[in-house]
Amino acid sequence: METKILDTTKQNIEKAAIIIRQGGLVAFPTETVYGLGADALNPEAVGRIYEAKGRPSDNPMIVHIARASDIGQLTPFITQDMIALIDHFWPGPLTLVVKKKAAVPLRTTGGLETVAVRMPDHPVALELIRIAGVPIAAPSANLSGKPSPTQAEHVKEDLMGKVDAILMGGDCRVGIESTVLDLTGETPMILRPGIVTPESIEAVLNKPVKLDPSLNAVPNQDVAPKAPGMKYKHYAPKAQMLVVEGRREKVKEEIERLRGLNENLGNKVGVILFEEKAFVEAAHDFFAQLREMDKDDVDLILAGALSDTDSVGFAVMNRMLKSAGYNIVRV
Ligand code: TXA
Ligand code: MG
């Protein structure tokens, strides 16, 4: 398939919107990561997303809307909690899992009776959805299992020839995917951590929020993740990856020691070590750094763990642990 590479002029966004309306696939920038979009209400179009990404078909999509009130097309009722969160966080990197209306195909929700909805905070994404006139289903625009794309070049690497068009926006501001919050149970529960923290959600709702107990735990039978997409192999670089956890000075020493040992064996070693407490910067850079390592044909990545007592640190660690396949040493 020929992939149109489009810069983000008004005319090109219109072209892309027509592609969406005709059932095609368009990759587009959001404030978190690039998304791979299709008409969320058209099951054939959504099916093409699964094909292009090589994504398991029980992994549901996030449905993106351009006006908060459009959530009414997707869910049969609105609650006080939903209104409070929408008023406070939209447009922005918070996804709400709510009951779905019959109009939302099961193909889009991976067979679930709930739907994940968000209004992105990016002018190109909003314009695309608005002109297309339909809600847009969009997972991250990477091949399944690879790091999420935070730059247009990353999308090209993964999806050239597999999608109808790529809207070439700039660098994504946040760099990790949205916080996913399940509102269908008695207590709201975070299924995927992100830059919108549990504390900020609790402050808006004025009640406690739970974290899915499987988050950041080494996978085992007792703590299966609640979000289908959280169980798959994810964000994997080509290299082997090891996370080094402990006090800062010790971590630095151990990384240098392991680097030396491995370089002596002829291995190419890459290091990911963020400034202490620079959690937002780490979120912004992490996926891009993984992709750099792949480009440099690194054999081994040594990554310093971030403090997970900070909620953004916890969100970055969620991605780091997965990309390392939970390969951790403590020093
Ligand atoms: O920031 C983002 O959220 C990006 C941009 C493009 O908006 N999108 C994104 O989509 O990360 P994706 O498909 O890569 O991740 C969606 C996550 C998956 O873990 C999926 O299982 C979960 O949300 N999810 C979607 N619908 C759900 C539902 N109805 N119930 C539970 N989890 C759901
Ligand atoms: Mg993804």
Side-chain angles (χ1 to χ4, degrees), residues 80-190:
Q80 210 50 52
D81 283 356
M82 285 161 67
I83 291 173
L85 293 168
I86 288 170
D87 279 351
H88 196 270
F89 292 106
W90 284 7
L94 176 66
T95 294
L96 303 178
V97 174
V98 296
K99 267 220 155 335
K100 85 166 189 73
K101 260 190 180 168
V104 183
L106 288 168
R107 200 70 179 276
T108 303
T109 65
L112 298 173
E113 287 300 328
T114 55
V115 60
V117 188
R118 98 175 182 99
M119 177 177 172
D121 185 17
H122 194 292
V124 174
L126 291 173
E127 190 74 347
L128 176 68
I129 303 162
R130 202 183 55 71
I131 301 175
V134 291
I136 295 185
S140 48
N142 50 282
L143 289 176
S144 194
K146 296 247 278 164
S148 296
T150 60
Q151 298 168 15
E153 284 304 320
H154 302 161
V155 181
K156 268 191 174 171
E157 280 162 25
D158 280 16
L159 297 179
M160 262 319 252
K162 298 193 158 80
V163 301
D164 297 291
I166 302 174
L167 279 165
M168 303 288 285
D171 203 21
C172 299
R173 172 170 58 82
V174 175
I176 57 173
E177 311 88 337
S178 61
T179 303
V180 176
L181 181 69
D182 183 355
L183 290 176
T184 64
E186 198 155 314
T187 307
M189 176 150 71
I190 293 192

Side-chain angles (χ1 to χ4, degrees), residues 53 55 139-140 142 148 177 192 234-235:
K53 282 188 57 120
R55 179 180 175 110
S140 48
N142 50 282
S148 296
E177 311 88 337
R192 181 174 70 185
H234 246 98
Y235 313 132

Side-chain angles (χ1 to χ4, degrees), residues 50-69:
Y50 288 106
E51 255 170 58
K53 282 188 57 120
R55 179 180 175 110
S57 59
D58 69 339
N59 191 357
M61 313 265 164
I62 294 176
V63 178
H64 298 70
I65 55 180
R67 269 178 312 256
S69 59

Side-chain angles (χ1 to χ4, degrees), residues 5-314:
I5 299 298
L6 305 173
D7 51 21
T8 58
T9 60
K10 170 100 185 174
Q11 229 184 5
N12 281 340
I13 298 174
E14 279 166 6
K15 264 190 210 159
I18 292 170
I19 294 174
I20 295 276
R21 232 181 340 215
Q22 293 173 339
L25 299 185
V26 176
F28 61 97
T30 82
E31 81 282 26
T32 56
V33 301
Y34 276 75
L36 174 57
D39 177 352
L41 304 181
N42 175 343
E44 284 83 46
V46 169
R48 289 187 195 111
I49 297 182
Y50 288 106
E51 255 170 58
K53 282 188 57 120
R55 179 180 175 110
S57 59
D58 69 339
N59 191 357
M61 313 265 164
I62 294 176
V63 178
H64 298 70
I65 55 180
R67 269 178 312 256
S69 59
D70 287 347
I71 194 172
Q73 296 176 21
L74 306 170
T75 191
F77 58 84
I78 303 284
T79 64
Q80 210 50 52
D81 283 356
M82 285 161 67
I83 291 173
L85 293 168
I86 288 170
D87 279 351
H88 196 270
F89 292 106
W90 284 7
L94 176 66
T95 294
L96 303 178
V97 174
V98 296
K99 267 220 155 335
K100 85 166 189 73
K101 260 190 180 168
V104 183
L106 288 168
R107 200 70 179 276
T108 303
T109 65
L112 298 173
E113 287 300 328
T114 55
V115 60
V117 188
R118 98 175 182 99
M119 177 177 172
D121 185 17
H122 194 292
V124 174
L126 291 173
E127 190 74 347
L128 176 68
I129 303 162
R130 202 183 55 71
I131 301 175
V134 291
I136 295 185
S140 48
N142 50 282
L143 289 176
S144 194
K146 296 247 278 164
S148 296
T150 60
Q151 298 168 15
E153 284 304 320
H154 302 161
V155 181
K156 268 191 174 171
E157 280 162 25
D158 280 16
L159 297 179
M160 262 319 252
K162 298 193 158 80
V163 301
D164 297 291
I166 302 174
L167 279 165
M168 303 288 285
D171 203 21
C172 299
R173 172 170 58 82
V174 175
I176 57 173
E177 311 88 337
S178 61
T179 303
V180 176
L181 181 69
D182 183 355
L183 290 176
T184 64
E186 198 155 314
T187 307
M189 176 150 71
I190 293 192
L191 305 183
R192 181 174 70 185
I195 204 100
V196 171
T197 63
E199 303 85 79
S200 63
I201 296 170
E202 286 178 339
V204 168
L205 293 181
N206 211 0
K207 65 178 177 193
V209 164
K210 287 191 293 195
L211 282 182
D212 179 344
S214 74
L215 291 175
N216 295 19
V218 178
N220 70 61
Q221 293 295 319
D222 300 337
V223 288
K226 306 271 186 300
M230 298 294 277
K231 68 176 182 256
Y232 296 108
K233 187 173 155 69
H234 246 98
Y235 313 132
K238 284 187 255 162
Q240 280 293 312
M241 183 166 166
L242 179 64
V243 176
V244 184
E245 187 186 79
R247 286 215 348 265
R248 179 93 181 160
E249 281 316 304
K250 290 270 188 198
V251 166
K252 276 188 173 164
E253 268 172 45
E254 182 65 4
I255 286 180
E256 281 317 307
R257 194 181 72 81
L258 290 171
R259 187 215 292 263
L261 282 175
N262 280 281
E263 284 179 348
N264 284 341
L265 292 174
N267 285 330
K268 190 158 183 189
V269 179
V271 171
I272 298 183
L273 188 62
F274 298 107
E275 292 296 318
E276 210 169 8
K277 305 215 174 97
F279 302 112
V280 171
E281 291 78 359
H284 177 266
D285 293 350
F286 179 64
F287 286 136
Q289 288 204 15
L290 286 185
R291 284 193 180 250
E292 278 304 308
M293 304 269 161
D294 275 355
K295 269 219 184 109
D296 292 349
D297 277 319
V298 163
D299 300 299
L300 173 67
I301 302 171
L302 299 169
L306 296 165
S307 163
D308 61 6
T309 53
D310 175 273
S311 291
V312 178
F314 183 87

